[in-house]
Amino acid sequence: MRTTLLPTLALLALASPARADDAKLLAQQAKTVLKTHCYRCHGQDGSVEGAMNFVTDLGKLVARKKIVPNDAKGSRLFRRVDDGTMPPPDENPRPSAAEVAILKKWIEAGAPTGETDSAHKQITQADVFAAVLADLETLDRRARRFQRYFTLTHLHNAGLSDEELQTYRNALAKLVNSLSWGSKIVNPVAVDANRTILRIDLRWFVWDATIWNRVLQEYPYGVLDDSVSARAVAVGTAAKQPLLRADWFIATASRAPLYYDVLQLPANLAELEKLIRVDAAENIRQERVTRAGFNGSGISRFNRVLERHDSAQGMYWRTYDFDEPQANLVDRVNGGLLPDRRNIFAFPLGPGGLAENPFQHAGGEAIFALPNGLHAYYLINAVNTRLDKGPLNIVSDPKRPDRAVEAGVSCMSCHVTGILPKADQVLDHLGKNPKAFKREESEVIRALFPGKDAVLKLMEADAKKYAEAVAKTGAKVSRFEAVSTITQKYEADVDLVSGASEIGLSVDEFRGRISQSELLVKHVGALRAGGTVTRQLWVQAFGDIVREMQLGGLYQANLNGPTLKDNTGELDPLEARGDSANQWAFTPDGRRAIVASGDRSVRYFDVEGRRDLKRFVGHTASVWAVALSADGKWAASGGMDGTARVWDLATGLEIAKFTDHTSLVSAVAFVPNGKWVVSGSFDGTVAYWKVADGKEGWRVEKLGLVTALAVDPHGKFVAVATENALVMLDLATGAELKRYGKFTSPLSAVAISPDGQWIAAGNDAGTVRVWQLSDEKARFTLTGHEGGVRSVAIKDGGRWVLTGGADRTLRLWDTSAAKQELPAFRKHGASVTGAAFLGNGTQTVSGDRDLTVLPWKIDRFIGTAPAPKVEAPKTPDRIPYAEP
């Protein structure tokens, strides 16, 4: 029994709200009334009756015109409360007259919300990947490749309340379990505080990489993030795109053909019946079926027959649907005027081959229980071939844009209780017309059509089991089914707020960026003036929006690589096709470089000639780390195959290999004498091993995600960049010497000055910190990159720092300047993954992910350095200059 409002509430309503406190009190009273009488159907646990789940959000009630301030009669919600239709008449408790008066008084006072607007904390893409990475780290390493994630963050950022988001969670839980061959209901698990990121395990639903990649073939919103966290998530899950928008998935995987493909259903009904262990023809012959025939099903335009079988998982219902015959009779068989075979009251037996005079159906629907108790759906034509949509001349769904019945979503929307109770009319017809059929036919009809009471009892039992299964998903059986409701919300037009949140920008920034692009003005310019664009046009324009706004690389489903042996993910989710440079290591004169390539090779690159001199082949997956020995004779590399290798530059031969990492080798560095290599991995280890034989000298574990390394030029220590700290390890023993952090964003690049006295490290948030070796805290914090830092270099004295970023810029920092206009080089067209000061002191060289190398003359920024006591040979000036 629900408690009613305190008696004093009615007295409080008599007070006139003359002050802000009074308005706040009145708003609280109105909210209490709504929560007491309306919330259970319009928000509680995600309930969405009437497609409304925000009844306690007073501001949203006004914004969505359910309430019209100062006009109680014009407020639809109030009118329904006042006339007693809301809550429905059979709901208790009922609003009292005093409570209705409170709502009226609140509306006539201007419908104040009683709350000051507070900033809705936005969830960034970095936040999403950080949460997913943190979740993966709680799981056993072998289990991580089975994990996939659905996101609601853009809806949270668009201002949806938790009640509204709960409807999405309910719909997602119901749908993934409705696409499952698992024996139990298992719901997605929230992994963040706002419950906007939901994890599933492919094994729960008997899915694998083939199913996930089939879903990705349809996904229009795939953007490849260049951050360390995103890379680590891809490595951990063995998937290029392990995250999907939940609303898109609900609206797309609930509709054929994707619905069929995720459920792995065959192309015809005979094969489906084999799958669920049903022999329909034999069951009919042996009278092991229960039928109901009737007119006016509400979906079918003419009469319909329902037929129930037992299956391996429980029940299996199928329908026989009929197209409508012409109104006038014509000669049909040998000039006779026989009844139309589409009339089940004249021909209740069939289908063809199972009766002397079978009915002539045009198609139908199959509904069967999954092992977990939820239902699956299947549309067929007259010859039992699978259909994505039912023919409009036979069936229709007024909730779909084209009114066509779609396999999956239309069936869920209609069959909200499972099997809709329908009373049989055929047995009554036989009783009233005993001479219409032969005696043998009448006996068969009575055996197959036991009458309405028997059929309704079976339907009631099946509906009860279905409701119990639905409840386990967190949803409930109601008139407004969660999956179809969310599908309609997703398919609605896109406005400026929803578009900005889907792109990941603020409304003002999104509007401004549209204005800067002639292409986007044509595509989505209507959004700037408060208009909308259709969902179809938004999807069509999404790729152009990402490219024009430089939001990342577009995911291409056709570029997925080979899968793991157990088909749970890709062998190398980081592999790239064509030219790609994940890291650069330049010679001091800038004329040569070693490149870590996404195509499994290590390139020895002629910078001036813009060509490969050699390719070192041996890695079996993409390469992500490279280094050059001080004498320029050897190169080191690390890759997704978990190995680190050393190469002879002169011969191109592999001379050493270290195989004891268990994940991506993300960083390598030579010690000054070139005899040892330090390698770091996403498995949290750093190893010190000998070039001569690949034997390990020492190993440090449990460092977290190792992202970059830099070795002290004097050979005393190695700086290790991790996801949340910068750790100094003794180069001789591996002992920890010092630790900087904990940082909120993963470090992504680190460098030590040539004199070994200064350290610079950049992170995924675009921030660079600079320490003097003796410092306990960073001496300088440099901000300006609009994306993560991908490379860093620092000169002696710590004054000049060079950084390359995912924002496609190269930046020169003067740490001595209190305030400065930052010199920035903007000629790169992709993320800058390598940057270095040249030995001549007046230039830099930088390379980007697209394998483009550009020089930058910086002497006008840093001035001319005094000549050293011993004149060093100058680097010949042969690299063409490029102005910033």
Side-chain angles (χ1 to χ4, degrees):
M1 188 71 171
R2 293 182 178 271
T3 58
T4 56
L5 296 177
L6 295 174
T8 55
L9 188 56
L11 296 175
L12 290 172
L14 301 176
S16 176
R19 302 184 307 274
D21 288 345
D22 296 326
K24 184 175 182 179
L25 180 60
L26 185 55
Q28 289 173 344
Q29 293 170 0
K31 189 171 183 178
T32 303
V33 173
L34 294 170
K35 189 160 188 177
T36 301
H37 298 290
C38 307
Y39 183 61
R40 59 184 177 270
C41 293
H42 300 286
Q44 185 174 5
D45 300 324
S47 55
V48 66
E49 291 300 316
M52 184 173 73
N53 50 3
F54 50 87
V55 76
T56 58
D57 189 329
L58 304 185
K60 206 161 284 183
L61 289 175
V62 173
R64 300 187 185 179
K65 299 181 181 179
K66 304 294 183 182
I67 292 294
V68 180
N70 306 308
D71 184 2
K73 290 184 178 180
S75 299
R76 185 167 180 265
L77 186 151
F78 176 77
R79 289 201 310 270
R80 297 198 60 191
V81 173
D82 191 38
D83 65 17
T85 59
M86 180 174 170
D90 58 344
E91 286 281 337
N92 284 298
R94 309 295 304 166
S96 66
E99 290 170 327
V100 175
I102 288 172
L103 290 180
K104 184 176 182 180
K105 192 175 189 70
W106 167 65
I107 295 170
E108 291 177 345
T113 63
E115 300 172 356
T116 56
D117 291 335
S118 57
H120 193 70
K121 188 179 185 305
Q122 299 290 289
I123 301 172
T124 67
Q125 193 71 350
D127 295 333
V128 172
F129 281 110
V132 171
L133 184 57
D135 178 63
L136 287 172
E137 290 175 348
T138 68
L139 303 174
D140 178 77
R141 187 175 297 279
R142 290 187 60 79
R144 295 175 188 176
R145 68 187 188 277
F146 301 101
Q147 311 309 309
R148 299 295 185 270
Y149 295 83
F150 295 99
T151 63
L152 298 168
T153 51
H154 65 288
L155 299 169
H156 166 91
N157 291 344
L160 269 66
S161 65
D162 191 63
E163 287 86 354
E164 292 174 284
L165 293 177
Q166 186 59 42
T167 306
Y168 285 84
R169 298 183 193 108
N170 293 347
L172 178 65
K174 184 183 179 187
L175 181 60
V176 292
N177 283 288
S178 297
L179 296 170
S180 169
W181 286 99
S183 61
K184 298 177 181 178
I185 299 286
V186 190
N187 294 328
V189 177
V191 304
D192 66 320
N194 293 297
R195 300 191 299 153
T196 63
I197 307 166
L198 304 163
R199 169 172 50 83
I200 65 166
D201 188 310
L202 295 175
R203 296 171 293 184
W204 294 347
F205 313 116
V206 198
W207 294 356
D208 57 16
T210 300
I211 298 299
W212 189 256
N213 289 339
R214 172 65 186 92
V215 173
L216 290 177
Q217 287 176 5
E218 307 293 331
Y219 192 51
Y221 304 115
V223 178
L224 298 176
D225 193 287
D226 193 36
S227 67
V228 169
S229 295
R231 196 176 309 144
V233 167
V235 170
T237 59
K240 279 189 180 70
Q241 194 76 32
L243 287 79
L244 295 179
R245 278 178 42 179
D247 59 337
W248 172 86
F249 180 81
I250 294 165
T252 310
S254 64
R255 296 163 48 221
L258 188 58
Y259 171 78
Y260 288 141
D261 292 346
V262 176
L263 254 178
Q264 306 161 68
L265 299 184
N268 61 73
L269 189 66
E271 292 300 317
L272 173 64
E273 290 177 344
K274 285 181 183 178
L275 184 66
I276 59 176
R277 302 296 299 272
V278 169
D279 188 335
E282 191 64 21
N283 286 347
I284 294 170
R285 278 191 289 265
Q286 296 188 7
E287 300 173 2
R288 295 193 303 240
V289 301
T290 301
R291 279 184 176 176
F294 48 87
N295 274 320
S297 71
I299 295 296
S300 173
R301 294 172 62 89
F302 192 40
N303 45 212
R304 170 177 263 194
V305 172
L306 297 182
E307 179 178 281
R308 187 189 186 281
H309 303 251
D310 286 327
S311 75
Q313 286 83 238
M315 66 80 180
Y316 164 62
W317 288 86
R318 69 157 296 179
T319 72
Y320 299 94
D321 290 323
F322 302 80
D323 51 1
E324 191 168 2
Q326 296 177 358
N328 58 318
L329 292 175
V330 295
D331 287 349
R332 296 186 183 88
V333 179
N334 298 325
L337 295 177
L338 293 175
D340 196 298
R341 291 190 180 276
R342 290 169 288 194
N343 179 1
I344 63 169
F345 295 96
F347 297 95
L349 299 179
L354 295 176
E356 182 179 352
N357 296 300
F359 52 64
Q360 181 183 318
H361 69 289
E365 175 188 20
I367 305 176
F368 60 94
L370 293 165
N372 60 22
L374 291 174
H375 291 174
Y377 310 93
Y378 195 88
L379 300 182
I380 49 175
N381 62 16
V383 294
N384 292 336
T385 300
R386 192 178 83 180
L387 295 175
D388 294 346
K389 294 183 178 183
L392 280 172
N393 64 323
I394 301 176
V395 290
S396 63
D397 179 1
K399 294 181 181 179
R400 300 305 301 144
D402 58 0
R403 301 184 66 85
V405 170
E406 293 188 76
V409 68
S410 295
C411 308
M412 294 178 195
S413 175
C414 177
H415 294 277
V416 292
T417 59
I419 299 300
L420 300 180
K422 290 290 183 180
D424 172 58
Q425 298 169 355
V426 170
L427 189 63
D428 285 345
H429 173 74
L430 175 63
K432 294 174 181 177
N433 301 278
K435 296 183 178 180
F437 303 98
K438 298 177 183 178
R439 182 175 59 82
E440 295 82 358
E441 288 179 325
S442 297
E443 290 176 352
V444 175
I445 293 169
R446 288 189 178 92
L448 298 181
F449 293 84
K452 60 183 178 182
D453 291 339
V455 173
L456 289 174
K457 186 176 180 180
L458 281 173
M459 291 177 172
E460 182 181 348
D462 289 341
K464 183 179 179 182
K465 291 179 182 178
Y466 177 70
E468 290 170 353
V470 170
K472 292 178 182 178
T473 70
K476 64 179 181 180
V477 171
S478 70
R479 193 160 58 93
F480 284 83
E481 189 273 331
V483 173
S484 56
T485 298
I486 294 307
T487 296
Q488 291 179 64
K489 287 182 179 292
Y490 168 80
E491 292 172 336
D493 291 350
V494 177
D495 60 18
L496 184 65
V497 173
S498 58
S501 67
E502 292 186 21
I503 290 297
L505 300 174
S506 69
V507 169
D508 290 341
E509 187 177 7
F510 183 47
R511 184 191 290 113
R513 290 208 192 182
I514 292 174
S515 302
Q516 294 169 10
S517 167
E518 291 184 11
L519 177 63
L520 297 186
V521 167
K522 292 179 182 178
H523 269 315
V524 295
L527 299 179
R528 297 184 304 164
T532 62
V533 296
T534 65
R535 174 59 65 179
Q536 294 92 329
L537 288 177
W538 175 258
V539 169
Q540 192 180 78
F542 187 81
D544 290 328
I545 293 172
V546 171
R547 282 187 288 266
E548 287 288 293
M549 296 187 180
Q550 300 182 3
L551 300 176
L554 287 171
Y555 169 76
Q556 295 175 278
N558 62 330
L559 296 183
N560 288 333
T563 59
L564 296 167
K565 291 181 180 179
D566 58 10
N567 199 30
T568 55
E570 291 184 58
L571 278 170
D572 183 6
L574 302 180
E575 186 174 3
R577 304 292 196 275
D579 292 337
S580 64
N582 297 321
Q583 193 178 63
W584 298 75
F586 293 99
T587 58
D589 60 8
R591 291 184 185 154
R592 302 283 186 269
I594 301 297
V595 182
S597 180
D599 64 2
R600 308 184 186 184
S601 69
V602 179
R603 297 172 183 246
Y604 187 26
F605 197 73
D606 178 358
V607 171
E608 291 182 329
R610 309 301 196 260
R611 63 187 180 90
D612 289 330
L613 295 172
K614 292 187 179 73
R615 281 208 185 189
F616 308 145
V617 178
H619 282 285
T620 58
S622 55
V623 184
W624 284 86
V626 285
L628 273 167
S629 63
D631 60 10
K633 294 181 179 180
W634 293 338
S637 61
M640 181 62 198
D641 58 4
T643 69
R645 302 168 189 247
V646 176
W647 311 86
D648 186 325
L649 294 186
T651 64
L653 297 177
E654 179 185 301
I655 61 173
K657 180 168 71 172
F658 184 75
T659 61
D660 286 347
H661 291 296
T662 59
S663 185
L664 169 70
V665 177
S666 52
V668 290
F670 283 98
V671 302
N673 64 17
K675 295 181 179 180
W676 294 81
V677 171
V678 186
S679 56
S681 171
F682 275 14
D683 64 10
T685 65
V686 170
Y688 178 72
W689 50 279
K690 201 170 186 178
V691 171
D693 53 17
K695 295 294 180 64
E696 186 177 294
W698 52 256
R699 169 188 291 261
V700 178
E701 298 180 332
K702 298 181 180 179
L703 290 170
L705 205 66
V706 176
T707 60
L709 296 172
V711 170
D712 165 36
H714 303 302
K716 295 180 180 179
F717 67 91
V718 57
V720 181
T722 73
E723 58 189 309
N724 55 30
L726 182 64
V727 183
M728 306 300 172
L729 302 179
D730 186 285
L731 203 53
T733 65
E736 185 173 317
L737 302 174
K738 188 181 292 188
R739 179 181 289 256
Y740 301 108
K742 192 174 183 177
F743 304 123
T744 57
S745 182
L747 296 181
S748 50
V750 65
I752 301 173
S753 62
D755 62 8
Q757 296 301 306
W758 293 86
I759 303 170
N763 68 13
D764 256 350
T767 300
V768 182
R769 291 178 175 86
V770 181
W771 295 265
Q772 192 167 18
L773 189 58
S774 58
D775 292 342
E776 294 299 322
K777 295 183 179 180
R779 186 165 295 194
F780 308 108
T781 299
L782 313 173
T783 59
H785 277 291
E786 296 174 0
V789 177
R790 296 290 164 260
S791 51
V792 61
I794 185 169
K795 279 180 165 289
D796 285 346
R799 178 179 177 183
W800 297 103
V801 179
L802 183 70
T803 57
D807 60 359
R808 310 180 185 188
T809 68
L810 185 67
R811 297 170 186 257
L812 181 66
W813 310 81
D814 181 356
T815 60
S816 68
K819 189 175 182 181
Q820 61 173 320
E821 283 194 21
L822 184 70
F825 183 71
R826 303 180 184 276
K827 298 290 186 179
H828 284 285
S831 177
V832 181
T833 53
F837 291 107
L838 295 192
N840 60 18
T842 64
Q843 286 179 267
T844 72
V845 62
S846 51
D848 62 32
R849 199 174 294 283
D850 287 345
L851 206 67
T852 299
V853 187
L854 297 172
W856 185 19
K857 188 171 174 62
I858 60 170
D859 52 1
R860 68 189 182 93
F861 301 116
I862 66 174
T864 303
K869 294 179 180 179
V870 179
E871 185 71 23
K874 292 186 177 180
T875 304
D877 188 11
R878 295 177 57 192
I879 303 175
Y881 293 142
E883 293 299 327

